[in-house]
């Protein structure tokens, strides 16, 4: 019989530094941390499948009301305008901001819905102890799309919009805003109760006596990496397989196996350079246009921040400054530091650099904040001749920066830093030859 306690002897390796660890099952409510780089390897949640099932069902029931019901109405000088999430996307399409509309649609509607559907089906089947082959595809979809669903950022965008407009318009709140807030809470709850390692092991539905799990294998040997032990970690499901399977499909999830992410340094450089190029128009060109009595006034990201500071909204000004300027610049600078120092040298600050990488990967999504605020304002403030708000060209460039920096964090493989800074020269040869693949 399959249970959460049958995996005591399975080897695992750290996705961030490749350290080989004995795959001890952590006690319930505990997280397993990598002793070398501090990465959270996995956390145990009691009844993870059932909790995920209940939460994803709740999320699905709430999804369409949250997206379709009006969020709020703005009233000013006898004009009124209401908006829901879908309208904020359609409006961007109608105004030819396709790239921005696609980014907002993906991050606020399409991927959150796909995630909820996928995890509902997976947890339902696992709960019923049924293991159809498509579960692998669905759970892979969940793992890959998770990062691109950003409804919590959209909720912060709604709050910023309210604070921005509360002094100049009367705001009437509708049921949509409560459904959407509840949807965000449910989605965040799913990410805390889901035990991905257990899900994968259950989907695989067989005892973990695969070839990676040799008795007396080097898990207890300090600082042995998976690569040195002839093992390869799957990026998607974190299963260890023999190195002979490189460039072939993972036996568990079918994802292609690479000893390190393919061409990690060159791909990340390309994306970082793209981000740097588009950061200029994103910050120098206007991102929003306000038409007041037929006179258009365009403002850049910085103008918007200065506006908040001039009107004593320091907290909002600081949040927008952090999300729109500080985060993209920090991401680009941080990734350049990681790329430049990922070469054979003294192993300095490896743990700190890996922590910085994880922080860069975590904060990327919050840059979409200003875009969500603009998407909402364009629908909520459309009072005919009196005043209306529109997106301006920098919005497109800004979306490209967000997408490119997020992709750069995904393509960068932090294990390369550990490989290249390792003291054993044989390791350098081993890894550099894998890099060429
Ligand atoms: Zn580690
Ligand atoms: Zn896999």
């Amino acid at each position: 019989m399959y249970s959460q306690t049958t995996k005591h002897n399975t080897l695992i390796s750290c996705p961030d530094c490749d350290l080989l660890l004995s795959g001890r099952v952590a006690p319930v409510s505990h997280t397993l941390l990598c002793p070398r780089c501090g990465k959270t390897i996995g956390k145990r949640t009691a009844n993870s499948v059932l909790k995920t099932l209940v939460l994803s069902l709740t999320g699905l029931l709430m999804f369409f009301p949250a997206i379709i019901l009006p969020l709020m109405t703005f009233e000013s000088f006898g004009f009124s305008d209401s908006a829901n999430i879908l309208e904020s996307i359609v409006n961007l399409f109608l105004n030819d901001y396709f790239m921005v509309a696609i980014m907002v649609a993906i991050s606020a509607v399409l991927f959150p819905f796909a995630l909820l559907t996928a995890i509902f089906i997976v947890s339902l089947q696992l709960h019923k102890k049924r293991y159809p082959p498509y579960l692998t595809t669905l759970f892979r979809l969940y793992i890959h799309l998770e990062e691109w669903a950003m409804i919590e950022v959209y909720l912060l965008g709604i709050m910023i919009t309210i604070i921005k407009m509360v002094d100049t318009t009367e705001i009437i709140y509708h049921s949509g805003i409560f459904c959407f807030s509840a949807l965000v809470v449910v989605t965040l709850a799913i990410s805390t109760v889901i035990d991905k390692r257990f899900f994968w092991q259950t989907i695989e539905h067989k005892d973990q006596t695969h070839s990676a799990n040799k008795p007396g294998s080097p898990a207890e040997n300090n600082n042995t990496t998976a690569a040195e032990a002839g093992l390869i970690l799957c990026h998607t499901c974190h299963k260890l397989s023999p190195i002979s399977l490189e460039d072939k499909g993972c036996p568990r999830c079918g994802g292609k196996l690479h000893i390190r992410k393919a061409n990690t340094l060159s791909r990340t450089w390309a994306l970082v350079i793209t981000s740097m190029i588009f950061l200029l128009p994103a910050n120098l060109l206007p991102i929003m246009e306000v038409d007041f009595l037929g006179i258009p006034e365009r403002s850049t990201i910085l103008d918007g921040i200065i506006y908040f500071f001039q009107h004593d909204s320091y907290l909002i000004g600081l949040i927008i400054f952090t999300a729109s300027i500080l985060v993209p610049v920090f991401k680009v600078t941080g990734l350049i530091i990681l790329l430049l120092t990922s070469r054979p040298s003294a192993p300095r600050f490896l743990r700190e650099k890996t922590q910085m990488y994880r922080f860069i990967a975590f904060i990327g999504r919050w840059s979409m904040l200003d875009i969500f605020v603009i998407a909402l304002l364009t629908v909520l403030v459309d009072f005919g001749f009196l005043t209306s708000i529109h997106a301006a060209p920098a919005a497109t460039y800004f979306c490209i920066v967000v997408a490119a920096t997020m992709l750069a964090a995904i393509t960068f493989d932090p294990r390369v830093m550990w490989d290249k800074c390792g003291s054993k020269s044989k390791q350098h040869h081993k890894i550099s030859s894998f890099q060429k693949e």
Side-chain angles (χ1 to χ4, degrees):
M1 192 60 208
Y2 208 79
S3 82
Q4 290 199 33
T5 55
T6 57
K7 311 297 172 295
H8 289 284
N9 298 317
T10 311
L11 285 177
I12 51 174
S13 84
C14 173
D16 283 1
C17 75
D18 208 31
L19 184 69
L20 204 56
L21 302 156
S22 64
R24 287 176 293 125
V25 177
V28 170
S29 305
H30 282 62
T31 44
L32 186 61
L33 297 175
C34 170
R36 187 158 76 159
C37 75
K39 166 84 177 170
T40 303
I41 308 281
K43 68 177 175 14
R44 277 281 307 282
T45 311
N47 303 316
S48 176
V49 171
L50 184 61
K51 285 177 184 168
T52 309
L53 174 62
V54 172
L55 285 168
S56 56
L57 177 63
T58 316
L60 279 176
L61 291 174
M62 229 154 11
F63 189 83
F64 287 103
I67 299 300
I68 292 166
L69 289 178
L71 297 166
M72 51 192 160
T73 301
F74 280 8
E75 282 187 354
S76 190
F77 299 106
F79 293 92
S80 74
D81 216 344
S82 63
N84 63 24
I85 307 275
L86 270 189
E87 282 169 346
S88 71
I89 297 162
V90 172
N91 200 44
L92 287 167
F93 260 113
L94 295 178
N95 286 287
D96 298 338
Y97 280 91
F98 301 118
M99 172 79 192
V100 187
I102 290 167
M103 272 295 276
V104 178
I106 282 175
S107 53
V109 179
L110 298 177
F111 284 8
F113 181 67
L115 280 174
L116 278 173
T117 311
I119 202 60
F120 170 70
I121 295 170
V122 171
S123 52
L124 178 68
Q125 296 289 22
L126 294 186
H127 181 66
K128 290 183 166 182
K129 304 208 185 306
R130 288 200 297 236
Y131 311 97
Y134 64 77
L135 288 192
T136 308
T137 313
L138 283 182
F139 202 51
R140 268 176 68 183
L141 188 80
Y142 179 84
I143 301 280
H144 288 302
L145 299 189
E146 206 182 1
E147 199 159 351
W148 298 90
M150 310 176 192
I151 56 173
E152 73 279 22
V153 185
Y154 202 115
L155 183 63
L156 184 61
I158 294 174
M159 291 177 194
I160 301 271
T161 308
I162 292 169
I163 297 168
K164 189 180 172 110
M165 300 303 288
V166 74
D167 291 338
T168 50
T169 53
E170 194 183 332
I171 303 172
I172 303 157
Y173 301 98
H174 300 298
S175 46
I177 200 166
F178 303 108
C179 291
F180 192 76
S181 306
L183 182 66
V184 172
V185 172
V186 168
T187 309
L188 291 176
I190 291 174
S191 61
T192 59
V193 301
I194 190 164
D195 185 341
K196 288 177 189 163
R197 191 173 161 210
F198 177 66
F199 267 65
W200 275 123
Q201 288 172 338
T202 316
I203 288 170
E204 194 176 27
H205 191 50
K206 61 179 179 185
D207 206 27
Q208 301 290 291
T209 48
H210 53 79
S211 51
N213 186 18
K214 294 169 195 160
S217 48
E220 309 306 327
N221 189 353
N222 280 345
N223 292 332
T224 298
T225 65
E228 286 171 323
L231 297 169
I232 189 165
L233 182 78
C234 172
H235 301 312
T236 308
C237 75
H238 293 178
K239 182 187 173 83
L240 278 173
S241 299
I243 219 155
S244 55
L245 289 181
E246 189 174 19
D247 289 329
K248 299 190 179 86
C250 166
R252 177 153 72 186
C253 75
K256 203 169 184 185
L257 292 173
H258 298 287
I259 188 82
R260 295 291 176 262
K261 289 177 186 171
N263 304 314
T264 172
L265 297 184
S266 49
R267 279 187 187 189
T268 313
W269 267 121
L271 287 161
V272 166
I273 291 165
T274 308
S275 315
M276 285 165 69
I277 292 168
F278 284 101
L279 255 177
L280 289 174
N283 280 286
L284 297 177
L285 293 177
I287 197 161
M288 195 171 81
E289 181 184 298
V290 181
D291 286 351
F292 186 68
L293 296 174
I295 303 161
E297 194 186 322
R298 294 182 144 200
S299 58
T300 61
I301 293 175
L302 201 59
D303 294 334
I305 294 162
I306 291 168
Y307 171 88
F308 281 118
F309 278 102
Q310 283 173 342
H311 290 78
D312 297 335
S313 300
Y314 298 109
L315 182 65
I316 302 300
L318 208 61
I319 291 173
I320 301 262
F321 174 73
T322 307
S324 303
I325 295 182
L326 213 56
V327 167
V329 170
F330 176 79
K331 282 191 77 170
V332 168
T333 317
L335 283 166
I336 289 174
I337 292 170
L338 295 181
L339 287 164
L340 288 175
T341 56
S342 288
R343 56 167 198 263
S345 61
R348 281 178 299 174
F349 307 119
L350 279 177
R351 194 179 165 97
E352 290 76 12
K353 284 196 296 182
T354 313
Q355 281 164 343
M356 181 168 84
Y357 164 74
R358 285 197 286 267
F359 185 62
I360 286 171
F362 166 75
I363 56 172
R365 62 221 320 278
W366 292 94
S367 300
M368 279 296 282
L369 184 64
D370 216 19
I371 297 292
F372 290 145
V373 173
I374 291 166
L376 269 173
L377 284 175
T378 55
V379 201
L380 282 167
V381 183
D382 190 3
F383 302 150
F385 180 73
L386 179 70
T387 183
S388 59
I389 292 179
H390 311 277
T396 303
Y397 298 117
F398 195 77
C399 280
I400 296 172
V401 172
V402 176
T405 50
M406 284 182 68
L407 285 170
I410 291 169
T411 54
F412 184 73
D413 193 334
R415 293 172 298 183
V416 173
M417 298 190 295
W418 294 86
D419 293 336
K420 298 204 169 180
C421 296
S423 54
K424 299 171 191 167
S425 59
K426 73 178 177 66
Q427 193 179 341
H428 299 179
H429 298 307
K430 185 190 264 182
I431 300 311
S432 54
S433 66
F434 291 134
Q435 276 296 105
K436 283 178 197 148
E437 292 298 321

